[in-house]
Amino acid sequence: EGLNPQEYTGIKIKITEFADEAKKILDENNFDTEKNNIFLVAATLRPETMYGQTCCFVSPKIDYGLFHVGNGDYYITTERAFKNMSYQKLTPTRGDYKATLIINGKSLIGSKIKAPLAVYDELYILPMETVLASKGTGVVTCVPSDSPDDFITTKDLSNKPEYYNINKDWVKSQLVPIVQTEKYGDKCAEYLVNELKIQSPKDALQLAQAKELAYKEGYYNGTMMVGKYKGEKVEEAKPKVKADLVASGDAFVYNE
Ligand code: A2H
């Protein structure tokens, strides 16, 4: 964590059907998944791209907390993030960040989810090994059209489903174009991953470069291709999509 504060949009992604391993942990703890709503909270800098979500990533190495936020609603985030939230008036009690239970990322993989604004109706939780526990909520929603990291991770997952112990059908291979750009077309991330010859999610240096280029071009020279603000510049649409998501209760502003 540096000196510059970062403002994220926390996207609430509802888990609609738990993977067997997660279900077992919840059952053992007498947790009623029928009566309660459980949301993964994904931290994003690009709320305007949420139309293009194709899955949600968790790290198989991270232990997440399940935290009650009132009225039978629960969030899944790192304890670190929920602690921060508890000092930002985003939770019922200031400074209270005791988890109802701890659930490992690995056990969540294969759960079905419903993500706000996503063009795809039903998506899955998938693994991303490069998710940092020290940033955001430790949950990353996947937008492979506009995020080089998401694109290359998706490619890796669909090439090696056995290695990752996932079902190939859980990986959506069809990208949803969201932002039209002058330089890199309507699938910015794919273009840059190819251009910079990025081979793996571990090519950190080139990915950082691709991320920077995609982010700048999308923000300053991008035009929305879908949704309520179709045809508007990304720079103008971004705060509006964000405000709409907050107003509908599908997201909140989270700082760190
Ligand atoms: B972004 P910054 Cl479409 N570990 O959201 C690794 N990456 C994380 C993370 C974590 N713990 N928490 C958030 N992120 C990702 C969308 C997106 C993002 C698009 C394009 C670029 C992009 C969809 N994924 O980020 O280090 C999240 O992915 C590129 C900058 O705080 C979040 O926004 O600057 C971004 O990294 C936060 O990165």
Side-chain angles (χ1 to χ4, degrees), residues 6 8 42-50 53 57 62 128 130-150 211-212 214-215 256:
Q6 184 71 273
Y8 295 104
T44 184
L45 298 175
R46 300 285 308 269
E48 79 284 6
T49 67
M50 294 301 106
Q53 293 173 89
F57 293 127
I62 295 179
M128 184 189 227
T130 55
V131 171
L132 302 168
S134 56
K135 192 203 287 193
T137 54
V139 178
V140 176
T141 194
C142 176
V143 184
S145 52
D146 292 272
S147 160
D149 288 275
D150 299 353
K211 219 168 7 184
E212 178 82 11
Y215 192 85
E256 66 178 40

Side-chain angles (χ1 to χ4, degrees), residues 1-72:
E1 277 153 66
L3 296 168
N4 300 323
Q6 184 71 273
E7 187 186 285
Y8 295 104
T9 303
I11 306 289
K12 291 164 64 182
I13 299 173
K14 192 176 184 323
I15 303 183
T16 53
E17 195 180 319
F18 286 89
D20 290 346
E21 255 187 84
K23 186 86 178 82
K24 196 169 152 236
I25 295 168
L26 293 164
D27 285 348
E28 281 167 3
N29 286 278
N30 299 314
F31 188 91
D32 190 338
T33 51
E34 300 290 311
K35 277 198 193 131
N36 301 300
N37 293 309
I38 301 184
F39 301 91
L40 280 172
V41 180
T44 184
L45 298 175
R46 300 285 308 269
E48 79 284 6
T49 67
M50 294 301 106
Y51 302 98
Q53 293 173 89
T54 59
C55 70
C56 184
F57 293 127
V58 297
S59 166
K61 291 172 288 191
I62 295 179
D63 283 327
Y64 296 88
L66 178 72
F67 301 96
H68 191 217
V69 287
N71 302 319

